[in-house]
Amino acid sequence: MSFLISFLLSFLFVRFFSRKFPLDMPNARKIHKMPIPLTGGIAIFVALLATETQVKIILPVSLAFLLGVLDDIEDLSYKIKLPFQVIIAAVAVWIGPEQIYFLGQRLDGILWKVVEVFWFAAMFNALNMIDGMDALASSTSMLSALFLREYRLALALAGFLPFNLPKAKSFLGNSGSAILGILLPFYALTYFKGDLCYATVFLGYPAYEVLSSFTRRILRHRNPFSADKNHTHHLLMRRFGVWRSLLLLVSFSFVCNLLGLSEKLWSFLLFCIVYLVLFTYSLS
């Protein structure tokens, strides 16, 4: 059902009402050349709202969606968005696993709950960061949701994906990336029974993107929250083009999913090695 709702709404929005929605306008930092409607998040939100059976999930998803819609309309600064992202992250922590772990070791105390809140906030931004190329965030998130057995989200993304493939007729928008930014970390942390390490490795591609972007900007004496055109997908597109870059990054995300699912120390160490190699490449 979520596939059908998402597909039909995406079709109607793109075919008949595209100019009624906020548009992602081209600029020097973006790769598209024409205005693209930001309709994907709305289609996915409605599909999830109509099919979700866990009432507790509706609250953080709705808050994230509303923040994303405001961002799509007003282009909010990070100074405005960040406090609200932290609040939404705190809600996710409140309804999520009671106990958290790292590599199977239990972490107790209020400090670790604060760490968990900031982990959610970081992953919230991570999903937004990888939404910079046609179908990248939607396809990698769909595969991750399938591995986590969250079929409603996976099918909602599958319904939107045909309209998001290169050359995209619709974008997720900040409303869509915000939904993914709160749902995927929540589902991953729940699946791994509160283990922050394995959940991070499983979501290794967006985790890499947010960590590497912040580190790179700090090393270059820039505001870590400032947008740029040096994300992994930008670097790969300049060398390989859109379709090859999409295939490479979906494959990378797929491998991270498998590493996380192994729930082994060696998978975490391998992820760290891959992170260092890719980060070194991005600085060259």
Side-chain angles (χ1 to χ4, degrees):
M1 181 61 75
S2 61
F3 171 85
L4 190 60
I5 294 172
S6 178
F7 180 85
L8 289 177
L9 285 178
S10 295
F11 173 78
L12 290 172
F13 292 160
V14 168
R15 182 67 179 84
F16 299 107
F17 303 106
S18 61
R19 296 290 171 175
K20 302 295 184 182
F21 292 91
L23 298 173
D24 194 331
M25 305 302 293
N27 61 36
R29 194 172 55 83
K30 299 177 182 179
I31 64 172
H32 58 284
K33 305 300 182 184
M34 299 291 290
I36 304 293
L38 303 172
T39 57
I42 300 170
I44 291 168
F45 178 70
V46 173
L48 292 175
L49 206 62
T51 58
E52 182 56 64
T53 57
Q54 298 184 65
V55 178
K56 66 179 183 178
I57 291 179
I58 294 175
L59 177 58
V61 170
S62 298
L63 292 173
F65 173 73
L66 290 174
L67 178 61
V69 168
L70 287 174
D71 197 12
D72 284 333
I73 296 171
E74 298 293 340
D75 192 20
L76 304 174
S77 74
Y78 75 90
K79 294 179 181 179
I80 296 175
K81 289 187 289 186
L82 188 59
F84 288 102
Q85 290 172 350
V86 171
I87 292 171
I88 296 167
V91 173
V93 170
W94 175 52
I95 66 172
E98 292 185 8
Q99 186 59 54
I100 57 173
Y101 300 83
F102 192 88
L103 287 172
Q105 300 300 308
R106 182 169 172 167
L107 305 175
D108 292 313
I110 189 65
L111 174 62
W112 292 111
K113 282 297 180 182
V114 173
V115 170
E116 187 182 3
V117 168
F118 280 94
W119 180 83
F120 267 106
M123 295 306 298
F124 195 112
N125 282 282
L127 269 297
N128 179 267
M129 285 184 175
I130 68 170
D131 187 30
M133 186 173 76
D134 294 352
L136 182 56
S138 53
S139 58
T140 55
S141 297
M142 181 184 70
L143 288 175
S144 296
L146 284 171
F147 276 122
L148 296 171
R149 300 175 186 172
E150 296 296 338
Y151 300 120
R152 294 182 188 87
L153 177 58
L155 289 171
L157 287 164
F160 164 70
L161 189 58
F163 305 92
N164 193 223
L165 289 169
K167 295 182 175 181
K169 297 179 178 64
S170 173
F171 285 165
L172 280 171
N174 291 308
S175 61
S177 64
I179 292 172
L180 299 180
I182 201 64
L183 269 185
L184 278 179
F186 178 83
Y187 286 147
L189 199 61
T190 301
Y191 183 90
F192 291 105
K193 298 178 176 59
D195 198 302
L196 287 171
C197 177
Y198 298 134
T200 303
V201 174
F202 178 83
L203 297 174
Y205 169 43
Y208 164 78
E209 200 63 64
V210 70
L211 286 169
S212 63
S213 295
F214 273 53
T215 305
R216 183 185 69 249
R217 291 164 186 168
I218 290 170
L219 290 176
R220 292 175 176 172
H221 306 291
R222 294 187 56 195
N223 184 337
F225 293 97
S226 63
D228 59 34
K229 204 171 180 179
N230 293 307
H231 293 298
T232 309
H233 54 271
H234 291 128
L235 299 177
L236 292 179
M237 278 191 296
R238 288 196 282 268
R239 176 166 292 190
F240 301 111
V242 173
W243 276 105
R244 289 182 182 178
S245 300
L246 179 61
L247 180 60
L248 285 170
L249 290 172
V250 170
S251 300
F252 174 45
S253 181
F254 177 78
V255 170
C256 289
N257 291 158
L258 295 180
L259 288 175
L261 290 171
S262 71
E263 297 188 56
K264 301 293 183 182
L265 174 60
W266 64 261
S267 63
F268 171 65
L269 296 175
L270 182 57
F271 172 73
C272 292
I273 293 170
V274 172
Y275 173 96
L276 291 173
V277 171
L278 285 177
F279 184 64
T280 302
Y281 171 77
S282 71
L283 292 178
S284 61

